[in-house]
Amino acid sequence: MKKLLLVPLVALLVPAHAWAQTVSVSGRVLDSKGIAQPGVTVLERGTSNGTSTDASGRFTLSVSPTATLVVSAIGAATQQIPLNGRTTLEVRMQDAATDLNEVVVTGSRATEGRSNILTTSPVDVISPREIKAFAQVDVAQILTYAAPSFQSSRQAVSDGTDHVDPASLRGLGPDQVLVLVNGKRRHSSALVNINGTVGRGSVGTDLNTIPNASIKRIEVLREGAAAQYGSDAIAGVINIQLKDDTTGVQASSTVGQTYEGDGDTYQADASVGIGLGGRGFLNLSGQFQNRAYTNRSGDDTAPLMYLGSNSGNYPAAANTEQRRRELKAQDDALVAQNGFDRRNMRVGQSESRNIGGFLNSGFTLAPSIGLEAYVTAGVTHRTGKAAGFYRLPNQLTQSDLTIYPNGFLPFINTTINDQSVLAGVRAKVLGFEADLSNTFGRNDIRFDITNTLNASYPLGLSPREFYAGTIAFQQNTSNLNFSRHFTDILGLATLNVAFGGEYRRDNYSIAAGERGSWDNFGRTTAAGAPTASGAQVFPGYRPTDELNRSRTNTAGYLDLESDLTEKLLVRAAGRAERYSDFGNNVSGQLAARYSILEDVAVRGTIGNGFRAPSLQQRYFTNTSTQFVSGVPQQVLTVNNDNPIVRNQFTDAVKGFGVPSLKQEKSTNYSVGVTGRVLKTMTVTVDAYQIDIRDRIVLTSQFARSGVATGTVDQILASYPEIGRVQFFANAIDTRTRGIDIVVNERLSVGESRLGLTVAANFNETKVRQINTAPTIENDPSLQNTLFDRQQRARIEAGQPRSKINLTANYGYRIFNVEVRTVRFGQVQYKDADPTRSFIDQTFSAKWVTDLTLSAQVAKFATVFVGVNNIFDVYPDRFRTNPRNNPNNFSVDPNLSFSSSLDNTNRGRIVYNPNQFGYNGGFYFARLVLDLPTSSN
């Protein structure tokens, strides 16, 4: 079976049958008022043979004499027209009742798609119009504003996470949503998020490696679907359908800038659809994007930049208010003399340059048996630059004043390469639709650190940039699937049977950086203090961190779907999997939809699912410099197999006694109502509950106590440089409850078109239990560290617990107006230490409003101008403690300067990014060209 699955292209060697007789059909497509409609897609049903209408609404297409043509356009009802011997046609398009009436394939293995108000599970459809209408230029941000259950926000000062946006569905983690491309599993990113961001400890999929220009539509299945698709689909599935038409050339160019005058963005993309002699299609797409950084940092509140102790506080000798005033005056003079800027950090979106392309193609080899070959391939190359924390000239253990006399701001530069190839064949075998495919994907991230140094080099000799290493993840998935639609069988009106198998191989590797990026060369300060090892801001991966680990997974599934009656649709699915590294798992799901009235139905689902621990979570290890309450710490992230994690405290090499990682297990419930009101409005309301057991998290940081007999001190005895340690564990059980509401209305009055959408998600996640280990249970000081209150708040309230999207689009002749306002619900921050709860803060909900005006200035050219966040809304500011003031000269220990009494890191971190970022208003202009061909 494995060998068969690993060679899906063998069927390409089958000789093609003679091409069936065809006829040439020509026609014209008009709207309801008789106006010619250019750019309308015309396809031969059941094939990839198609074209689009020209400037006069005309088309010509070679098809089978018995063909049925499918005529479709955005905003219009799709029509299926049997030829019945005709060779000329005139088609009148009618406005669609609603955008929600799109046919979807995600969430069902039926051979025929259903309207997404007729499915057993809720599915959002993001159309090309929504992708192009607003300012967002990458997939993660488009989904954030278009799908209320989806959330992603750019992070800052968080190492690799500055370059790969963490994303989630229904308030769960980035690794609990499965991403598909053309219905096939997409590989994840190589990056595991280890810093204090949303999705900490998780591994997501880098959605921004897929060019917008390649996308036909995006389907978001808001339902646990592990029984259908396997691991990761606990929260749902995002299926990105690529363009598969032959509609000529489409191109766009976007330029924009924030109100603050930074964040300059330029994007150019294009796609071309080419017909292959009536037997298939070839779609090529490419995208270039250049995004400048933004900076919303505040001024550094440290009293002393040059003359202070570490982190800019007053030295012990400045023990009177007068001495502090005098020292501050001297330091201010040096600041002025050297041109030092107290706004010494860069806190905002990173710099990014992205270039990528995709190919999507299908070709009919033998029409008589429906034998078709298909290939999808993509390549993306992205470079990024993000800043860390500024090193002040008084931080002598981390700097070298002969190289950087005024301190320095180090940068983490990433090079992300992503490649994927999907190839397969489809055919009819014994009445079944058979699909044999192989999908390969790879993502690697290289880290280069610049404007930095290794402080342990002899004075003046440290390089200023280092190669810090590369992480890589690759996945190869082979599938063999069968499906068949039966009618009038076993007393059932319809029965769709689908079954198949999958074999997958994952590989994860870490390559070490150059020696200077991680080693210590022995220099001490004048006071005899040891200096820090490795490149400042991001010490490189060490040779001891290097690894190359693989695992395999074999799975089989069965999926049944039947209209038991005209009113009742039932679906049942089951899946069994075996992983080479942790064992077996079985998932099942039962779903149903029942029509109460002609236009009203109820639907519901119950099922169980799972998520396998990623190879990154099992094996990742590194040492990083992290600032804890403003103080730099060497933090060791150690893999789950290390004796530090696995050994008991009673062993010769002491450890925490945490067991090996195993799969997360979930139970999903949902119930909903769908309906149509007055034929033009659709309403869906779906409530859900997701229970997850043994959820994998990156623990909080276990810190040394400074006492040799302390538990952590003994465990870290062989790591003298390490101050803190963290690792992955199946540490918590959670319950997520929520409700999704979507209402859509589309009206036409004369030459005017009006579309209205209300979409909302409300969710709540609670940690129900913390799963600990004997070593931790036996030491009360460690019980709150495995999963502290900051971690808990990040899971329960770190992302908006509600999001409401109100959208209106109005069109009149060549003009169109799009208005969208999104309410991002409140988020919370809590300090890890319960005694410091005074730092806790709730950030209030905010509305962000976007406006776009467009005009079709020529037959194939449309100009857009608009503003994202037109009212320049920012999140609430972090509160600043009055003692965190550079002009605080008090010597009273209860009143003196302190930057650890708030969450601003000496006033430099101003905003929480987890609602909608903090770039503020952004204005843009876009030109879209649509140049359809007149032949297939």
Side-chain angles (χ1 to χ4, degrees), residues 153-163 165-166 195-197 294-297 345-350 386-389 908-909 911-914 917-919:
S153 57
R154 293 173 182 154
Q155 304 295 311
V157 198
S158 55
D159 293 356
T161 312
D162 284 14
H163 308 278
D165 299 340
N195 289 327
T197 66
T294 59
N295 188 7
R296 302 294 180 268
S297 64
M345 280 185 60
R346 184 190 291 183
V347 183
Q349 72 179 20
S350 60
F389 284 90
R908 298 177 295 179
I909 308 295
Y911 303 106
N912 185 325
N914 293 340
Y918 40 78
N919 280 345

Side-chain angles (χ1 to χ4, degrees), residues 146-209:
S149 57
F150 181 92
Q151 175 67 20
S152 177
S153 57
R154 293 173 182 154
Q155 304 295 311
V157 198
S158 55
D159 293 356
T161 312
D162 284 14
H163 308 278
V164 181
D165 299 340
S168 67
L169 193 65
R170 287 185 158 179
L172 294 178
D175 50 8
Q176 290 161 333
V177 56
L178 175 63
V179 177
L180 309 175
V181 172
N182 284 349
K184 308 293 184 180
R185 176 180 288 266
R186 176 79 175 172
H187 61 279
S188 68
S189 168
L191 180 73
V192 57
N193 301 304
I194 64 170
N195 289 327
T197 66
V198 165
R200 182 176 185 270
S202 66
V203 179
T205 300
D206 190 351
L207 293 168
N208 297 334
T209 58

Side-chain angles (χ1 to χ4, degrees), residues 442-465:
R442 175 183 169 87
N443 180 273
D444 62 74
I445 306 176
R446 172 187 169 118
F447 295 94
D448 290 278
I449 316 305
T450 58
N451 201 52
T452 186
L453 52 70
N454 182 329
S456 69
Y457 271 89
L459 287 174
L461 297 184
S462 173
R464 301 188 185 196
E465 58 184 57

Side-chain angles (χ1 to χ4, degrees), residues 645-713:
V645 181
R646 300 291 291 280
N647 284 10
Q648 299 297 324
F649 191 70
T650 54
D651 294 340
V653 178
K654 300 183 184 302
F656 289 96
V658 172
S660 177
L661 289 182
K662 58 185 177 181
Q663 72 268 41
E664 301 173 348
K665 292 187 176 182
S666 67
T667 306
N668 299 59
Y669 312 88
S670 72
V671 62
V673 178
T674 71
R676 187 184 303 281
V677 181
L678 301 176
K679 303 299 182 182
T680 61
M681 177 186 295
T682 59
V683 180
T684 65
V685 180
D686 295 276
Y688 58 91
Q689 177 175 300
I690 307 169
D691 292 333
I692 305 177
R693 302 174 298 284
D694 299 318
R695 188 165 169 177
I696 299 171
V697 300
L698 179 60
T699 69
S700 306
Q701 296 173 0
F702 293 89
R704 291 179 183 270
S705 65
V707 179
T709 57
T711 301
V712 178
D713 301 70

Side-chain angles (χ1 to χ4, degrees), residues 513-821:
E514 62 181 287
R515 181 187 172 193
S517 73
W518 54 266
D519 205 356
N520 190 291
F521 294 86
R523 182 175 76 87
T524 60
T525 66
T531 52
S533 303
Q536 285 295 302
V537 80
F538 191 100
Y541 298 112
R542 303 167 183 246
T544 54
D545 298 333
E546 286 194 312
L547 57 86
N548 191 321
R549 297 286 189 272
S550 297
R551 73 168 173 211
T552 60
N553 169 47
T554 305
Y557 77 88
L558 173 65
D559 192 304
L560 304 173
E561 184 173 310
S562 175
D563 291 290
L564 296 182
T565 70
E566 290 184 359
K567 293 185 175 183
L568 179 61
L569 168 67
V570 176
R571 180 171 52 80
R575 187 181 184 96
E577 310 223 8
R578 179 172 180 79
Y579 282 78
S580 61
D581 57 347
F582 70 81
N584 304 330
N585 190 85
V586 177
S587 300
Q589 186 185 73
L590 181 64
R593 179 186 184 277
Y594 182 76
S595 298
I596 302 173
L597 301 171
E598 181 181 357
D599 292 324
V600 180
V602 294
R603 60 187 178 189
T605 303
I606 183 171
N608 69 307
F610 79 106
R611 189 187 73 80
S614 68
L615 288 181
Q616 294 91 317
Q617 290 172 324
R618 284 213 61 185
Y619 297 112
F620 177 81
T621 180
N622 90 321
T623 302
S624 63
T625 303
Q626 296 184 25
F627 282 74
V628 181
S629 297
V631 179
Q633 297 274 353
Q634 292 293 96
V635 178
L636 172 66
T637 303
V638 65
N639 72 56
N640 187 263
D641 288 341
N642 192 289
I644 287 177
V645 181
R646 300 291 291 280
N647 284 10
Q648 299 297 324
F649 191 70
T650 54
D651 294 340
V653 178
K654 300 183 184 302
F656 289 96
V658 172
S660 177
L661 289 182
K662 58 185 177 181
Q663 72 268 41
E664 301 173 348
K665 292 187 176 182
S666 67
T667 306
N668 299 59
Y669 312 88
S670 72
V671 62
V673 178
T674 71
R676 187 184 303 281
V677 181
L678 301 176
K679 303 299 182 182
T680 61
M681 177 186 295
T682 59
V683 180
T684 65
V685 180
D686 295 276
Y688 58 91
Q689 177 175 300
I690 307 169
D691 292 333
I692 305 177
R693 302 174 298 284
D694 299 318
R695 188 165 169 177
I696 299 171
V697 300
L698 179 60
T699 69
S700 306
Q701 296 173 0
F702 293 89
R704 291 179 183 270
S705 65
V707 179
T709 57
T711 301
V712 178
D713 301 70
Q714 293 184 66
I715 292 174
L716 293 178
S718 58
Y719 295 84
E721 291 184 353
I722 300 301
R724 293 168 175 255
V725 63
Q726 60 188 3
F727 49 86
F728 293 90
N730 295 94
I732 60 173
D733 298 346
T734 65
R735 169 171 287 175
T736 299
R737 287 174 167 167
I739 187 168
D740 294 311
I741 303 170
V742 180
V743 181
N744 251 332
E745 172 75 287
R746 180 179 291 276
L747 300 170
S748 294
V749 180
E751 296 185 62
S752 300
R753 306 171 304 279
L754 177 64
L756 302 172
T757 300
V758 177
N761 170 260
F762 303 90
N763 70 81
E764 177 185 71
T765 296
K766 290 292 184 183
V767 176
R768 304 179 71 195
Q769 180 174 304
I770 298 177
N771 310 315
T772 184
T775 300
I776 297 170
E777 285 182 320
N778 295 333
D779 187 337
S781 66
L782 303 183
Q783 290 184 21
N784 291 326
T785 306
L786 177 69
F787 186 74
D788 63 31
R789 67 194 300 271
Q790 184 181 83
Q791 287 267 71
R792 186 174 192 137
R794 190 175 288 126
I795 293 281
E796 294 185 336
Q799 299 187 93
R801 289 170 52 178
S802 66
K803 193 157 57 162
I804 302 171
N805 179 315
L806 308 177
T807 303
N809 62 80
Y810 175 77
Y812 179 74
R813 294 186 177 179
I814 68 170
F815 300 102
N816 205 75
V817 180
E818 301 265 359
V819 181
R820 176 177 65 196
T821 185

